[in-house]
Structure formats: structure tokens, C-alpha cells
PDB file of all heavy atoms in Angstrom:
ATOM      1  N   ALA A  92      -8.345  -2.646   6.771  1.00  0.00           N
ATOM      2  CA  ALA A  92      -8.216  -3.985   7.347  1.00  0.00           C
ATOM      3  C   ALA A  92      -6.771  -4.326   7.702  1.00  0.00           C
ATOM      4  O   ALA A  92      -6.524  -5.165   8.571  1.00  0.00           O
ATOM      5  CB  ALA A  92      -8.768  -5.030   6.378  1.00  0.00           C
ATOM      6  N   ASP A  93      -5.802  -3.694   7.072  1.00  0.00           N
ATOM      7  CA  ASP A  93      -4.394  -4.025   7.293  1.00  0.00           C
ATOM      8  C   ASP A  93      -3.826  -3.190   8.432  1.00  0.00           C
ATOM      9  O   ASP A  93      -4.284  -2.086   8.696  1.00  0.00           O
ATOM     10  CB  ASP A  93      -3.601  -3.783   6.006  1.00  0.00           C
ATOM     11  CG  ASP A  93      -2.327  -4.607   5.951  1.00  0.00           C
ATOM     12  OD1 ASP A  93      -1.620  -4.648   6.979  1.00  0.00           O
ATOM     13  OD2 ASP A  93      -2.067  -5.211   4.904  1.00  0.00           O
ATOM     14  N   THR A  94      -2.787  -3.703   9.076  1.00  0.00           N
ATOM     15  CA  THR A  94      -2.197  -2.999  10.211  1.00  0.00           C
ATOM     16  C   THR A  94      -0.741  -2.608   9.985  1.00  0.00           C
ATOM     17  O   THR A  94      -0.084  -2.139  10.898  1.00  0.00           O
ATOM     18  CB  THR A  94      -2.271  -3.874  11.489  1.00  0.00           C
ATOM     19  OG1 THR A  94      -1.582  -5.092  11.237  1.00  0.00           O
ATOM     20  CG2 THR A  94      -3.696  -4.125  11.898  1.00  0.00           C
ATOM     21  N   GLY A  95      -0.221  -2.767   8.796  1.00  0.00           N
ATOM     22  CA  GLY A  95       1.167  -2.422   8.499  1.00  0.00           C
ATOM     23  C   GLY A  95       1.368  -0.916   8.379  1.00  0.00           C
ATOM     24  O   GLY A  95       0.452  -0.124   8.577  1.00  0.00           O
ATOM     25  N   SER A  96       2.592  -0.535   8.036  1.00  0.00           N
ATOM     26  CA  SER A  96       2.900   0.883   7.842  1.00  0.00           C
ATOM     27  C   SER A  96       2.293   1.361   6.526  1.00  0.00           C
ATOM     28  O   SER A  96       1.904   0.555   5.671  1.00  0.00           O
ATOM     29  CB  SER A  96       4.418   1.090   7.819  1.00  0.00           C
ATOM     30  OG  SER A  96       4.962   0.573   6.613  1.00  0.00           O
ATOM     31  N   GLY A  97       2.265   2.678   6.344  1.00  0.00           N
ATOM     32  CA  GLY A  97       1.726   3.243   5.117  1.00  0.00           C
ATOM     33  C   GLY A  97       2.470   2.760   3.891  1.00  0.00           C
ATOM     34  O   GLY A  97       1.875   2.442   2.863  1.00  0.00           O
ATOM     35  N   ALA A  98       3.795   2.676   3.984  1.00  0.00           N
ATOM     36  CA  ALA A  98       4.611   2.229   2.854  1.00  0.00           C
ATOM     37  C   ALA A  98       4.355   0.757   2.544  1.00  0.00           C
ATOM     38  O   ALA A  98       4.256   0.368   1.372  1.00  0.00           O
ATOM     39  CB  ALA A  98       6.084   2.463   3.139  1.00  0.00           C
ATOM     40  N   GLN A  99       4.239  -0.052   3.599  1.00  0.00           N
ATOM     41  CA  GLN A  99       3.979  -1.487   3.388  1.00  0.00           C
ATOM     42  C   GLN A  99       2.612  -1.704   2.736  1.00  0.00           C
ATOM     43  O   GLN A  99       2.470  -2.499   1.806  1.00  0.00           O
ATOM     44  CB  GLN A  99       4.035  -2.237   4.726  1.00  0.00           C
ATOM     45  CG  GLN A  99       5.413  -2.323   5.316  1.00  0.00           C
ATOM     46  CD  GLN A  99       5.381  -2.837   6.756  1.00  0.00           C
ATOM     47  OE1 GLN A  99       4.383  -2.709   7.456  1.00  0.00           O
ATOM     48  NE2 GLN A  99       6.496  -3.405   7.200  1.00  0.00           N
ATOM     49  N   ILE A 100       1.617  -1.001   3.228  1.00  0.00           N
ATOM     50  CA  ILE A 100       0.267  -1.158   2.681  1.00  0.00           C
ATOM     51  C   ILE A 100       0.223  -0.655   1.233  1.00  0.00           C
ATOM     52  O   ILE A 100      -0.404  -1.281   0.374  1.00  0.00           O
ATOM     53  CB  ILE A 100      -0.775  -0.437   3.560  1.00  0.00           C
ATOM     54  CG1 ILE A 100      -0.838  -1.101   4.936  1.00  0.00           C
ATOM     55  CG2 ILE A 100      -2.146  -0.450   2.900  1.00  0.00           C
ATOM     56  CD1 ILE A 100      -1.701  -0.381   5.929  1.00  0.00           C
ATOM     57  N   ALA A 101       0.898   0.448   0.947  1.00  0.00           N
ATOM     58  CA  ALA A 101       0.941   0.971  -0.419  1.00  0.00           C
ATOM     59  C   ALA A 101       1.537  -0.065  -1.366  1.00  0.00           C
ATOM     60  O   ALA A 101       1.044  -0.264  -2.481  1.00  0.00           O
ATOM     61  CB  ALA A 101       1.746   2.268  -0.472  1.00  0.00           C
ATOM     62  N   GLU A 102       2.567  -0.748  -0.906  1.00  0.00           N
ATOM     63  CA  GLU A 102       3.189  -1.803  -1.717  1.00  0.00           C
ATOM     64  C   GLU A 102       2.223  -2.971  -1.922  1.00  0.00           C
ATOM     65  O   GLU A 102       2.111  -3.516  -3.018  1.00  0.00           O
ATOM     66  CB  GLU A 102       4.467  -2.278  -1.031  1.00  0.00           C
ATOM     67  CG  GLU A 102       5.326  -3.167  -1.888  1.00  0.00           C
ATOM     68  CD  GLU A 102       6.646  -3.505  -1.212  1.00  0.00           C
ATOM     69  OE1 GLU A 102       7.305  -2.575  -0.719  1.00  0.00           O
ATOM     70  OE2 GLU A 102       6.988  -4.704  -1.183  1.00  0.00           O
ATOM     71  N   GLN A 103       1.508  -3.347  -0.858  1.00  0.00           N
ATOM     72  CA  GLN A 103       0.532  -4.446  -0.964  1.00  0.00           C
ATOM     73  C   GLN A 103      -0.621  -4.076  -1.908  1.00  0.00           C
ATOM     74  O   GLN A 103      -1.087  -4.921  -2.680  1.00  0.00           O
ATOM     75  CB  GLN A 103      -0.021  -4.793   0.419  1.00  0.00           C
ATOM     76  CG  GLN A 103       1.006  -5.428   1.342  1.00  0.00           C
ATOM     77  CD  GLN A 103       0.498  -5.547   2.769  1.00  0.00           C
ATOM     78  OE1 GLN A 103      -0.651  -5.223   3.061  1.00  0.00           O
ATOM     79  NE2 GLN A 103       1.359  -6.006   3.672  1.00  0.00           N
ATOM     80  N   VAL A 104      -1.060  -2.825  -1.860  1.00  0.00           N
ATOM     81  CA  VAL A 104      -2.123  -2.365  -2.757  1.00  0.00           C
ATOM     82  C   VAL A 104      -1.642  -2.452  -4.207  1.00  0.00           C
ATOM     83  O   VAL A 104      -2.382  -2.893  -5.092  1.00  0.00           O
ATOM     84  CB  VAL A 104      -2.575  -0.921  -2.402  1.00  0.00           C
ATOM     85  CG1 VAL A 104      -3.430  -0.323  -3.501  1.00  0.00           C
ATOM     86  CG2 VAL A 104      -3.326  -0.906  -1.080  1.00  0.00           C
ATOM     87  N   ALA A 105      -0.392  -2.055  -4.443  1.00  0.00           N
ATOM     88  CA  ALA A 105       0.156  -2.122  -5.801  1.00  0.00           C
ATOM     89  C   ALA A 105       0.206  -3.567  -6.285  1.00  0.00           C
ATOM     90  O   ALA A 105      -0.150  -3.851  -7.435  1.00  0.00           O
ATOM     91  CB  ALA A 105       1.550  -1.501  -5.833  1.00  0.00           C
ATOM     92  N   ASP A 106       0.619  -4.479  -5.418  1.00  0.00           N
ATOM     93  CA  ASP A 106       0.697  -5.900  -5.799  1.00  0.00           C
ATOM     94  C   ASP A 106      -0.686  -6.491  -6.043  1.00  0.00           C
ATOM     95  O   ASP A 106      -0.897  -7.207  -7.013  1.00  0.00           O
ATOM     96  CB  ASP A 106       1.407  -6.711  -4.710  1.00  0.00           C
ATOM     97  CG  ASP A 106       2.886  -6.361  -4.587  1.00  0.00           C
ATOM     98  OD1 ASP A 106       3.431  -5.782  -5.551  1.00  0.00           O
ATOM     99  OD2 ASP A 106       3.479  -6.656  -3.534  1.00  0.00           O
ATOM    100  N   ARG A 107      -1.608  -6.194  -5.149  1.00  0.00           N
ATOM    101  CA  ARG A 107      -2.918  -6.837  -5.202  1.00  0.00           C
ATOM    102  C   ARG A 107      -3.878  -6.197  -6.222  1.00  0.00           C
ATOM    103  O   ARG A 107      -4.596  -6.896  -6.911  1.00  0.00           O
ATOM    104  CB  ARG A 107      -3.552  -6.797  -3.814  1.00  0.00           C
ATOM    105  CG  ARG A 107      -4.885  -7.492  -3.756  1.00  0.00           C
ATOM    106  CD  ARG A 107      -5.310  -7.715  -2.346  1.00  0.00           C
ATOM    107  NE  ARG A 107      -6.610  -8.359  -2.320  1.00  0.00           N
ATOM    108  CZ  ARG A 107      -7.215  -8.709  -1.221  1.00  0.00           C
ATOM    109  NH1 ARG A 107      -6.647  -8.503  -0.060  1.00  0.00           N
ATOM    110  NH2 ARG A 107      -8.390  -9.273  -1.269  1.00  0.00           N
ATOM    111  N   PHE A 108      -3.882  -4.847  -6.287  1.00  0.00           N
ATOM    112  CA  PHE A 108      -4.860  -4.146  -7.123  1.00  0.00           C
ATOM    113  C   PHE A 108      -4.246  -3.491  -8.362  1.00  0.00           C
ATOM    114  O   PHE A 108      -4.972  -2.988  -9.217  1.00  0.00           O
ATOM    115  CB  PHE A 108      -5.588  -3.067  -6.302  1.00  0.00           C
ATOM    116  CG  PHE A 108      -6.364  -3.612  -5.141  1.00  0.00           C
ATOM    117  CD1 PHE A 108      -5.842  -3.567  -3.865  1.00  0.00           C
ATOM    118  CD2 PHE A 108      -7.619  -4.162  -5.334  1.00  0.00           C
ATOM    119  CE1 PHE A 108      -6.557  -4.057  -2.781  1.00  0.00           C
ATOM    120  CE2 PHE A 108      -8.352  -4.652  -4.261  1.00  0.00           C
ATOM    121  CZ  PHE A 108      -7.814  -4.615  -2.977  1.00  0.00           C
ATOM    122  N   GLY A 109      -2.917  -3.446  -8.428  1.00  0.00           N
ATOM    123  CA  GLY A 109      -2.269  -2.798  -9.562  1.00  0.00           C
ATOM    124  C   GLY A 109      -2.370  -1.283  -9.528  1.00  0.00           C
ATOM    125  O   GLY A 109      -2.247  -0.618 -10.556  1.00  0.00           O
ATOM    126  N   VAL A 110      -2.597  -0.718  -8.341  1.00  0.00           N
ATOM    127  CA  VAL A 110      -2.747   0.729  -8.176  1.00  0.00           C
ATOM    128  C   VAL A 110      -1.637   1.226  -7.270  1.00  0.00           C
ATOM    129  O   VAL A 110      -1.479   0.735  -6.151  1.00  0.00           O
ATOM    130  CB  VAL A 110      -4.130   1.076  -7.554  1.00  0.00           C
ATOM    131  CG1 VAL A 110      -4.237   2.556  -7.268  1.00  0.00           C
ATOM    132  CG2 VAL A 110      -5.242   0.618  -8.461  1.00  0.00           C
ATOM    133  N   ARG A 111      -0.859   2.192  -7.780  1.00  0.00           N
ATOM    134  CA  ARG A 111       0.239   2.730  -6.982  1.00  0.00           C
ATOM    135  C   ARG A 111      -0.267   3.913  -6.156  1.00  0.00           C
ATOM    136  O   ARG A 111      -0.807   4.864  -6.702  1.00  0.00           O
ATOM    137  CB  ARG A 111       1.385   3.163  -7.876  1.00  0.00           C
ATOM    138  CG  ARG A 111       2.027   1.996  -8.609  1.00  0.00           C
ATOM    139  CD  ARG A 111       3.210   2.424  -9.450  1.00  0.00           C
ATOM    140  NE  ARG A 111       4.194   3.223  -8.731  1.00  0.00           N
ATOM    141  CZ  ARG A 111       5.168   2.724  -7.945  1.00  0.00           C
ATOM    142  NH1 ARG A 111       5.269   1.419  -7.782  1.00  0.00           N
ATOM    143  NH2 ARG A 111       6.030   3.525  -7.351  1.00  0.00           N
ATOM    144  N   LEU A 112      -0.106   3.820  -4.841  1.00  0.00           N
ATOM    145  CA  LEU A 112      -0.481   4.889  -3.923  1.00  0.00           C
ATOM    146  C   LEU A 112       0.753   5.346  -3.169  1.00  0.00           C
ATOM    147  O   LEU A 112       1.657   4.553  -2.904  1.00  0.00           O
ATOM    148  CB  LEU A 112      -1.520   4.399  -2.912  1.00  0.00           C
ATOM    149  CG  LEU A 112      -2.863   3.912  -3.427  1.00  0.00           C
ATOM    150  CD1 LEU A 112      -3.701   3.370  -2.275  1.00  0.00           C
ATOM    151  CD2 LEU A 112      -3.600   5.026  -4.134  1.00  0.00           C
ATOM    152  N   HIS A 113       0.775   6.598  -2.795  1.00  0.00           N
ATOM    153  CA  HIS A 113       1.838   7.110  -1.943  1.00  0.00           C
ATOM    154  C   HIS A 113       1.519   6.705  -0.502  1.00  0.00           C
ATOM    155  O   HIS A 113       0.350   6.588  -0.122  1.00  0.00           O
ATOM    156  CB  HIS A 113       1.908   8.637  -2.062  1.00  0.00           C
ATOM    157  CG  HIS A 113       3.131   9.219  -1.454  1.00  0.00           C
ATOM    158  ND1 HIS A 113       3.217   9.534  -0.121  1.00  0.00           N
ATOM    159  CD2 HIS A 113       4.328   9.536  -2.012  1.00  0.00           C
ATOM    160  CE1 HIS A 113       4.422  10.028   0.129  1.00  0.00           C
ATOM    161  NE2 HIS A 113       5.112  10.046  -1.004  1.00  0.00           N
ATOM    162  N   ARG A 114       2.542   6.505   0.291  1.00  0.00           N
ATOM    163  CA  ARG A 114       2.316   6.084   1.686  1.00  0.00           C
ATOM    164  C   ARG A 114       1.472   7.102   2.444  1.00  0.00           C
ATOM    165  O   ARG A 114       0.665   6.741   3.294  1.00  0.00           O
ATOM    166  CB  ARG A 114       3.643   5.852   2.409  1.00  0.00           C
ATOM    167  CG  ARG A 114       4.437   7.112   2.648  1.00  0.00           C
ATOM    168  CD  ARG A 114       5.650   6.885   3.553  1.00  0.00           C
ATOM    169  NE  ARG A 114       6.375   8.117   3.732  1.00  0.00           N
ATOM    170  CZ  ARG A 114       6.028   9.086   4.563  1.00  0.00           C
ATOM    171  NH1 ARG A 114       4.946   8.949   5.308  1.00  0.00           N
ATOM    172  NH2 ARG A 114       6.727  10.186   4.651  1.00  0.00           N
ATOM    173  N   ARG A 115       1.613   8.396   2.122  1.00  0.00           N
ATOM    174  CA  ARG A 115       0.830   9.425   2.799  1.00  0.00           C
ATOM    175  C   ARG A 115      -0.658   9.302   2.450  1.00  0.00           C
ATOM    176  O   ARG A 115      -1.509   9.570   3.282  1.00  0.00           O
ATOM    177  CB  ARG A 115       1.331  10.837   2.404  1.00  0.00           C
ATOM    178  CG  ARG A 115       2.738  11.135   2.879  1.00  0.00           C
ATOM    179  CD  ARG A 115       2.833  11.318   4.393  1.00  0.00           C
ATOM    180  NE  ARG A 115       2.111  12.509   4.782  1.00  0.00           N
ATOM    181  CZ  ARG A 115       1.345  12.604   5.858  1.00  0.00           C
ATOM    182  NH1 ARG A 115       1.207  11.590   6.668  1.00  0.00           N
ATOM    183  NH2 ARG A 115       0.712  13.712   6.130  1.00  0.00           N
TER     184      ARG A 115
END
């Protein structure tokens, strides 16, 4: 659903879900 970069979305996922993902 998001249109940001991989790094931006990874940061948002960490904030929202508490799960750290790599941008790749």
C-alpha cells in the first residue's frame, strides 16, 4: 500500500509493527 523507498517503508514497518526488515 505504501509508495516510499524500501528504506523508508522498512522504518515505517519497524515503527508501526515493531518488526525490523531490511530495505531489500
Side-chain angles (χ1 to χ4, degrees):
D93 204 315
T94 58
S96 72
Q99 291 169 335
I100 295 173
E102 191 175 311
Q103 292 170 4
V104 167
D106 292 341
R107 183 166 179 178
F108 299 100
V110 175
R111 295 183 51 82
L112 299 176
H113 192 274
R114 68 171 179 79
R115 294 289 294 139

